[in-house]
Amino acid sequence: MFNLLRADLYRLVHARYFWVITAIAIAALVSVALLLNWIASPEFAQTVNDSIAQNEQTSVLEVDNGALDESDEIAPLNSKVMSSFTYDCGQIFFDSSLVGILGSLIAAFLILSDFKKGYIKNLPLDNRGRRNYFAEKLILVACLQAYLIAVCALASLLSFLALDFSFETIEPVEDVALWLFLVWLYSTAMAYIVSCIAWLSRSEAVSSMAALILSSGILGVIVLQIIGWLANILPAAEQIPQFLLASVRIELSNGASDLWIMCAGEAFLMIPIWAHALIICIAFSLIAAIISWILCRKRDMA
């Protein structure tokens, strides 16, 4: 299994999609930081005020020779002080689904590359070989989620610090580490589900669509709405959301500050949110891994 892992790591760092996805993650986060920096600048405030003045057909400010005096500089409309790292940066790369979509896509491309390039035909695929193959792929997919989360967290943090942003609340290191760990578990669970679909379909189109629909949270929102309507007829359905990854996504989107709040659901009553997220993410990861093994162990892998 370790030989397979070493071979896959070598192929991965030489794969174009690996660096393209990494570049997309960094570019997206740097762009967001630059956009927020511009929104917090006096120039943006001037633009907004000029637009309002034009709409109202009034003059907001008279200037001499077309230039503003320093004393007349318009104050920024937005502050460069952010609430906390896990809340604001978490909203940018986690709640926006950036890390989830990219993580699921890179997992799907990794799985499909074995079939596309014929690599899997050179592997021994008896029962032991299949077991080692699936175990190695699941380990590598989980490692890739950790890699992307680290890239996104560092890119967002360094970008904001470089642009003189600050955080109103400095969170304890252990809380930040716990939140990042739970985000990794959530992303891994989603990536395992997409990997299962990739193994079964062997289609880039199907796998990419699954990554977008599942990891973006679109399907989760639809399911929660359906359950909400169903609960009007069947009150017991109100307990279903607490067993879904969609509820974990909502919990983690609020940052590390909410991790120690007790859950309200009956099945998880009086346990902290972090424990609920831990249980649900591990459960879905195990289910996806087991389904992948059961459905694919008898299938022709070549």
Side-chain angles (χ1 to χ4, degrees):
M1 185 174 68
F2 292 104
N3 290 333
L4 290 175
L5 184 60
R6 186 166 59 248
D8 269 350
L9 286 174
Y10 177 83
R11 292 192 302 125
L12 187 64
V13 297
H14 289 84
R16 182 181 301 175
Y17 68 84
F18 175 78
W19 298 109
V20 169
I21 288 178
T22 300
I24 291 174
I26 295 174
L29 293 168
V30 172
S31 298
V32 170
L34 291 172
L35 176 62
L36 293 178
N37 182 64
W38 179 65
I39 291 176
S41 67
E43 290 79 8
F44 177 77
Q46 178 68 59
T47 302
V48 172
N49 286 341
D50 288 346
S51 177
I52 294 174
Q54 288 179 357
N55 291 336
E56 296 178 352
Q57 294 183 347
T58 60
S59 176
V60 178
L61 187 63
E62 292 185 8
V63 294
D64 294 332
N65 299 323
L68 282 172
D69 186 77
E70 290 183 359
S71 61
D72 294 326
E73 184 177 349
I74 296 177
L77 298 178
N78 298 279
S79 172
K80 297 184 74 170
V81 178
M82 310 181 80
S83 299
S84 66
F85 169 74
T86 59
Y87 179 77
D88 290 289
C89 293
Q91 292 282 329
I92 293 171
F93 69 78
F94 173 69
D95 198 41
S96 67
S97 303
L98 175 68
V99 71
I101 292 175
L102 294 182
S104 295
L105 283 175
I106 200 172
F109 293 156
L110 173 70
I111 300 300
L112 295 174
S113 66
D114 289 350
F115 301 98
K116 187 176 181 180
K117 297 183 178 181
Y119 172 75
I120 198 168
K121 295 180 180 180
N122 300 319
L123 300 177
L125 290 176
D126 52 7
N127 286 336
R128 181 180 179 182
R130 287 174 182 257
R131 188 164 55 247
N132 289 340
Y133 173 79
F134 277 99
E136 180 268 334
K137 280 295 184 290
L138 293 177
I139 291 172
L140 186 54
V141 166
C143 291
L144 285 173
Q145 307 313 303
Y147 164 77
L148 278 176
I149 290 170
V151 168
C152 289
L154 288 175
S156 58
L157 178 61
L158 294 177
S159 297
F160 284 120
L161 292 179
L163 295 171
D164 293 328
F165 280 84
S166 60
F167 298 103
E168 183 178 357
T169 302
I170 305 299
E171 299 164 305
V173 175
E174 56 271 20
D175 285 357
V176 176
L178 176 60
W179 181 81
L180 289 173
F181 173 70
L182 293 173
V183 169
W184 170 71
L185 282 179
Y186 174 87
S187 299
T188 299
M190 282 295 182
Y192 279 2
I193 296 173
V194 173
S195 296
C196 179
I197 295 173
W199 267 317
L200 294 176
S201 68
R202 301 184 188 178
S203 167
E204 287 189 358
V206 172
S207 302
S208 299
M209 186 62 65
L212 292 174
I213 294 176
L214 293 174
S215 300
S216 66
I218 295 175
L219 182 61
V221 171
I222 295 174
V223 170
L224 290 178
Q225 288 182 342
I226 293 175
I227 293 174
W229 296 331
L230 183 62
N232 295 326
I233 304 173
L234 186 64
E238 294 180 351
Q239 304 303 319
I240 297 178
Q242 62 187 314
F243 297 98
L244 302 178
L245 282 172
S247 65
V248 175
R249 178 190 177 91
I250 295 173
E251 292 170 347
L252 295 180
S253 65
N254 294 323
S257 60
D258 287 358
L259 292 181
W260 299 95
I261 297 176
M262 297 299 170
C263 291
E266 292 184 5
F268 298 93
L269 193 63
M270 299 308 293
I271 70 170
I273 282 177
W274 69 263
H276 169 251
L278 181 72
I279 293 170
I280 298 301
C281 290
I282 291 178
F284 270 88
S285 297
L286 289 175
I287 291 171
I290 292 172
I291 291 176
S292 297
W293 170 248
I294 292 176
L295 295 181
C296 297
R297 65 176 181 171
K298 298 298 183 180
R299 187 176 180 184
D300 180 19
M301 299 294 291

